[in-house]
Amino acid sequence: MAMSLGINILSVVLFIPAFMLSYLRPQSTYGLKWLFLVIAFLGAALAPISVLLSHWGGGVAFSLRITVLAILVLFAIICSRYPFFHRLSILIFPYLIFVNIGAIGLDALDNTSYVFYSSSNWIFAHIISGVLTYASITLAAIVSFSVYLSQKNLKNKQSNQITTLLPSINECNDIQTKLLIFAEVILVCGFISGLSLQYFSTGVILIFDHKTVFTILAMLVIAIILFLQERTGVRGKIAVRFIMFAYLLLTLAYPGVKFVAQIVI
């Protein structure tokens, strides 16, 4: 069932103030930043709530919107602990706006044939773990991209308006590692819960489908980058490539599988 055009447009428009504030008035008070973050959160929540009033959506557009909402929640939690994280709004909000627009384009595909019904709380816990994992690896990818931009400008002895607004490299490195650890822990827990659900529903503990393969690869890639960071302190381009690869794998495993199921199959 397609979302109304008005809700779709409003959900995107409400992201714009937070992005404009991060770009035009980066030195604004934290109170104003939190106000615009709340406005963006309301925009992200509009479409999912309108769907959840009747059912849990099973389509790719709904999944993207839930992911955007989870990213904002995680972003807000980190900002409450590390105020400098607000400065990443200049990278995060364009990404969220882009994803929201993509969800609008895919909204027509979320018809009643992709409504998800289940009475099992374990299934919903498994879904939530997947959403949190994808949200955390997305933020880690954005943080690593911020580090890459800053290091590139330092190497070239250049700067631009965007990089001057970003957090310091050391601040980003610390948050990046914590996000990767969080993503790995939640991903492992979600994978184990998925195996349990698979076993109790089919009697088979592991089925090597696309989602399973991509998830296992993502776990390995995140584990490798965490190991390399601990042992060698690897950062910069190498870290960005590993994290982006993990992000790509989870994109294929989570919204990618839904996209193929709805459009290709």
Side-chain angles (χ1 to χ4, degrees):
M1 55 189 68
M3 196 75 56
S4 72
L5 182 61
I7 292 178
N8 277 328
I9 294 175
L10 184 60
S11 66
V12 174
V13 169
L14 291 179
F15 278 88
I16 296 176
F19 167 65
M20 296 303 294
L21 182 71
S22 66
Y23 186 74
L24 298 177
R25 296 188 60 186
Q27 303 304 323
S28 299
T29 63
Y30 285 117
L32 191 58
K33 291 178 180 178
W34 276 106
L35 173 62
F36 284 179
L37 181 57
V38 170
I39 292 173
F41 177 82
L42 293 176
L46 275 176
I49 288 176
S50 65
V51 174
L52 289 172
L53 289 175
S54 59
H55 63 273
W56 179 278
V60 62
F62 179 80
S63 298
L64 290 176
R65 290 187 173 103
I66 288 294
T67 299
V68 168
L69 193 59
I71 291 172
L72 271 180
V73 170
L74 191 56
F75 176 67
I77 292 173
I78 297 174
C79 286
S80 66
R81 178 67 177 84
Y82 304 97
F84 69 83
F85 206 67
H86 275 288
R87 298 171 66 183
L88 278 173
S89 297
I90 197 168
L91 296 180
I92 291 173
F93 280 102
Y95 171 83
L96 295 180
I97 291 172
F98 175 78
V99 173
N100 246 350
I101 293 174
I104 293 174
L106 295 168
D107 188 54
L109 299 173
D110 281 11
N111 51 44
T112 53
S113 63
Y114 288 97
V115 174
F116 177 78
Y117 296 101
S118 176
S119 59
S120 173
N121 292 329
W122 283 106
I123 292 180
F124 285 108
H126 176 68
I127 293 173
I128 291 171
S129 70
V131 172
L132 285 176
T133 300
Y134 191 58
S136 57
I137 198 65
T138 299
L139 285 178
I142 293 173
V143 172
S144 69
F145 184 63
S146 171
V147 172
Y148 168 73
L149 291 177
S150 298
Q151 288 183 335
K152 182 179 179 181
N153 282 342
L154 284 175
K155 182 179 180 180
N156 296 332
K157 297 181 180 180
Q158 297 176 346
S159 63
N160 55 55
Q161 187 172 355
I162 292 179
T163 54
T164 56
L165 299 177
L166 297 174
S168 70
I169 293 175
N170 288 336
E171 289 173 331
C172 285
N173 282 334
D174 181 53
I175 293 295
Q176 174 185 283
T177 301
K178 291 177 180 178
L179 283 168
L180 288 174
I181 293 173
F182 178 75
E184 184 76 339
V185 171
I186 299 298
L187 184 56
V188 170
C189 292
F191 183 70
I192 293 173
S193 67
L195 293 180
S196 301
L197 290 170
Q198 182 71 44
Y199 178 75
F200 286 116
S201 62
T202 65
V204 180
I205 193 169
L206 182 61
I207 297 177
F208 282 98
D209 54 13
H210 293 85
K211 184 176 181 179
T212 301
V213 172
F214 289 139
T215 301
I216 293 174
L217 288 175
M219 283 192 294
L220 291 175
V221 170
I222 296 173
I224 289 172
I225 186 59
L226 286 172
F227 175 79
L228 291 176
Q229 286 183 341
E230 177 66 24
R231 295 298 296 270
T232 67
V234 62
R235 305 288 180 183
K237 284 185 179 180
I238 297 177
V240 170
R241 288 169 182 168
F242 271 96
I243 296 172
M244 290 299 182
F245 185 44
Y247 168 76
L248 174 62
L249 290 170
L250 287 177
T251 299
L252 293 173
Y254 179 50
V257 169
K258 290 180 179 291
F259 179 80
V260 172
Q262 283 188 246
I263 296 180
V264 179
I265 299 178

